[in-house]
Amino acid sequence: MPSRQAMLDGVLHMERSVLDYGSGRGHDVRRLRHAGIDATGWDPYYSDTPTRGPADVVLLLYVLNVIEDAQEREQTLRSAWDLAKRSLVVSARLTWESRKVTGLEHEDGIVTRRGTFQRLFAPSELRQFVADITGMPSVMAAPGVVYAFREERDRLAFLARRASPDVKWLQSSDTAEALAAVVDYLEQRGRMPQFEEVPQVMVPLLQHLSSAELARLATKAADPVKVEAAARRTTLNTLLLLGMELFTGRSPLSELPLQVQVDIRRFFASYKEACQRADRLLLKIRDDTYLRGAMRNSVGKLTPSALYVHRRAVERLPVVLRLYEHCGAVAAGRPEGWDLVKLHHDSRKVSWLSYPDFDSDPHPRLSWSYSVDLKTLDASHRGHEASSNRPLLHRKHEFLAPDYEDVPKYRRLTDAEVRAGLYAHPHLIGTENGWAAELARCGRALRGHRLVKVPGQQASE
């Protein structure tokens, strides 16, 4: 999982060499090579060679948690960092796995029944450990996965990709297609690209046009409504990035990715003004009144304690709420496989919830939740898979944007359930058993997203 996450995040790719430090029998190295990556591995027990050379990216995956001696653990992390020319990817098992790790306490960990040592980390503890040893601001990419970057520009590039994905350029083989690609960029970013942003293969196709002529042609061909919407979106994404960046330390404008530098010059009076606006957004996260107001005017389902939003609608959140969620992700790592995000307004806490059958199940069951307290940076995980009476969802349409294609189907089911009296006792229907009892009481059953009467079963009071 950590290697895959690093590839998805653009930290690990085919143009960078990789060293798997503590590679064991080399399974990950073989997979990376199969993916076309220049990967080598070293392990003190299984490697044929005692030496290990530097690499652009060093992986230290599930190594720290099996080292008994605390000083050796620190030295291993330091040695891996010394070999990393650009970035270090560290992963370790986390404290919520304690139920799976049984044995006798030893030093700061546990000796399992198989005689192996396991040191479990809290997410914030692992992130701080990496930051202390490397001397660099570290970022949680996912629960139990931490990145440390040698260059500030690489850290900022990672954050920028999280806040605002790069525009995918259309392929071009002639001038007409190249111009169409520029128009598409304008409609996606809200501004013309700088010369340095244009793919090299397109430069010869456009070099006979001056910058002014290219801008005139592209502006004439572009949809002004799309350009205006993109400009607004890029402005908000830039504020989101600057707010996230302050969470781990703000850098000079020159350290930011080129795209972001151009965005700031195009959409803000100055870098100072952009930073000030981002700072105000961060302060608003602390303002209960402002936060609740943003939630009342947002997509999603608002309850007395939190706003729940499906991942498909997260991009439609007000920027202050997107920043709220991103701060949680930077602090504790956004987990893989989540479906809803829960933004608490009665505390400063972000939770990601997994409902694997959200699309197919009319009332999906909760599989697990992962939460981070932004005041203490403590994170916790709770699994529900083994429970016989799991929490479940109602009124699915409320978690999505109103124009999502399945919303009418979900809303029809909710209306039918209300008419049948299934929501007459809301305190009873939050779990599987309570919901099943209410269905039986009302003489109803579910067939997909349709509510039907049960033949021969009379509704009871």
Side-chain angles (χ1 to χ4, degrees):
M1 184 278 288
S3 298
R4 182 174 71 251
Q5 186 68 51
M7 293 178 73
L8 291 172
D9 289 334
V11 173
L12 191 162
H13 52 71
M14 287 188 289
E15 295 178 5
R16 293 182 183 173
S17 60
V18 176
L19 169 65
D20 188 356
Y21 191 101
S23 57
R25 299 183 185 275
H27 298 302
D28 280 355
V29 172
R30 286 192 288 274
R31 292 190 184 99
L32 291 171
R33 286 175 177 170
H34 183 72
I37 292 173
D38 176 18
T40 58
W42 178 84
D43 191 275
Y45 301 104
Y46 299 105
S47 291
D48 297 329
T49 172
T51 61
R52 60 270 193 192
D56 294 327
V57 181
V58 173
L59 308 178
L60 189 67
L61 310 183
Y62 303 110
V63 172
L64 298 178
N65 47 274
V66 299
I67 300 176
E68 295 183 37
D69 184 76
Q71 289 186 336
E72 182 185 350
R73 203 179 297 141
E74 290 183 11
Q75 185 55 49
T76 298
L77 179 54
R78 188 172 286 109
S79 297
W81 174 243
D82 289 342
L83 294 169
K85 293 192 289 186
R86 296 195 67 158
S87 54
L88 175 67
V89 180
V90 179
S91 67
R93 297 183 71 178
L94 299 175
T95 48
W96 69 64
E97 299 181 67
S98 58
R99 294 179 184 177
K100 303 176 184 177
V101 182
T102 57
L104 299 174
E105 292 186 6
H106 176 69
E107 299 294 340
D108 57 357
I110 293 174
V111 175
T112 69
R113 293 173 182 175
R114 295 192 302 170
T116 60
F117 178 81
Q118 289 292 333
R119 163 69 158 90
L120 305 181
F121 289 83
S124 58
E125 178 189 22
L126 179 63
R127 181 172 63 84
Q128 192 60 51
F129 182 35
V130 175
D132 289 344
I133 296 300
T134 63
M136 304 297 290
S138 57
V139 181
M140 291 291 288
V145 181
V146 180
Y147 298 153
F149 298 98
R150 185 74 65 181
E151 298 290 337
E152 182 68 0
R153 64 183 68 243
D154 284 337
R155 183 181 72 88
L156 294 172
F158 162 72
L159 292 177
R161 287 190 294 271
R162 284 283 177 100
S164 180
D166 293 337
V167 173
K168 303 297 183 183
W169 283 87
L170 301 177
Q171 293 187 345
S172 308
S173 57
D174 56 34
T175 299
E177 290 181 347
L179 180 58
V182 172
V183 171
D184 180 72
Y185 186 99
L186 175 59
E187 292 179 342
Q188 287 192 61
R189 201 82 184 182
R191 62 167 176 79
M192 287 290 294
Q194 292 281 87
F195 175 80
E196 297 88 345
E197 296 176 282
V198 177
Q200 287 300 307
V201 294
M202 285 177 51
V203 172
L205 304 176
L206 298 170
Q207 62 184 1
H208 63 286
L209 296 171
S210 67
S211 298
E213 181 67 7
L214 180 61
R216 186 185 68 79
L217 293 173
T219 303
K220 183 178 180 181
D223 182 337
V225 175
K226 289 183 178 179
V227 174
E228 183 179 354
R232 189 163 53 248
R233 183 170 60 249
T234 299
T235 301
L236 295 178
N237 285 343
T238 304
L239 291 173
L240 179 62
L241 168 62
L242 295 177
M244 290 165 57
E245 182 199 3
L246 186 60
F247 197 79
T248 52
R250 184 161 287 157
S251 303
L253 177 63
S254 59
E255 294 287 346
L256 293 170
L258 174 63
Q259 268 192 331
V260 179
Q261 292 185 42
V262 179
D263 291 338
I264 290 172
R265 293 191 179 103
R266 171 63 179 81
F267 298 116
F268 298 90
S270 66
Y271 182 44
K272 181 179 179 180
E273 187 243 343
C275 290
Q276 289 173 339
R277 288 178 60 180
D279 294 346
R280 288 196 293 271
L281 273 178
L282 275 175
L283 288 174
K284 286 175 180 176
I285 293 177
R286 300 181 183 180
D287 186 333
D288 291 350
T289 302
Y290 187 90
L291 206 61
R292 290 191 178 98
M295 291 182 178
R296 280 194 295 270
N297 293 287
S298 171
V299 295
K301 181 174 182 176
L302 184 61
T303 72
S305 62
L307 177 71
Y308 295 76
V309 183
H310 194 276
R311 66 183 306 153
R312 296 191 189 97
V314 164
E315 293 300 314
R316 307 278 283 273
L317 285 169
V319 66
V320 67
L321 300 183
R322 290 179 61 203
L323 180 57
Y324 187 4
E325 190 272 341
H326 272 277
C327 286
V330 171
R334 187 184 290 115
E336 189 176 18
W338 63 278
D339 297 284
L340 298 184
V341 63
K342 179 181 180 182
L343 303 175
H344 301 247
H345 57 72
D346 61 346
S347 61
R348 291 303 173 267
K349 187 176 178 182
V350 179
S351 302
W352 295 271
L353 315 174
S354 173
Y355 292 89
D357 302 317
F358 185 92
D359 292 331
S360 58
D361 192 332
H363 295 280
R365 277 67 172 166
L366 179 62
S367 177
W368 53 259
S369 64
Y370 177 64
S371 304
V372 57
D373 186 324
L374 289 179
K375 292 182 179 179
T376 64
L377 301 185
D378 291 334
S380 60
H381 180 277
R382 185 176 180 184
H384 295 269
E385 298 93 334
S387 173
S388 60
N389 189 28
R390 291 175 292 173
L392 49 74
L393 292 180
H394 300 279
R395 304 176 185 270
K396 284 202 304 184
H397 64 279
E398 294 183 352
F399 302 99
L400 295 154
D403 55 358
Y404 178 65
E405 59 183 351
D406 284 332
V407 160
K409 177 174 69 175
Y410 299 159
R411 185 180 285 114
R412 284 194 297 271
L413 174 61
T414 297
D415 292 343
E417 290 172 341
V418 170
R419 289 195 299 270
L422 284 162
Y423 294 168
H425 307 291
H427 62 287
L428 300 177
I429 63 175
T431 59
E432 291 178 284
N433 293 346
W435 179 239
E438 286 300 283
L439 283 169
R441 181 184 68 81
C442 295
R444 297 293 192 275
L446 288 161
R447 301 288 183 267
H449 284 79
R450 291 175 56 245
L451 187 69
V452 298
K453 291 184 178 181
V454 177
Q457 184 172 327
Q458 196 71 19
S460 60
E461 292 297 328

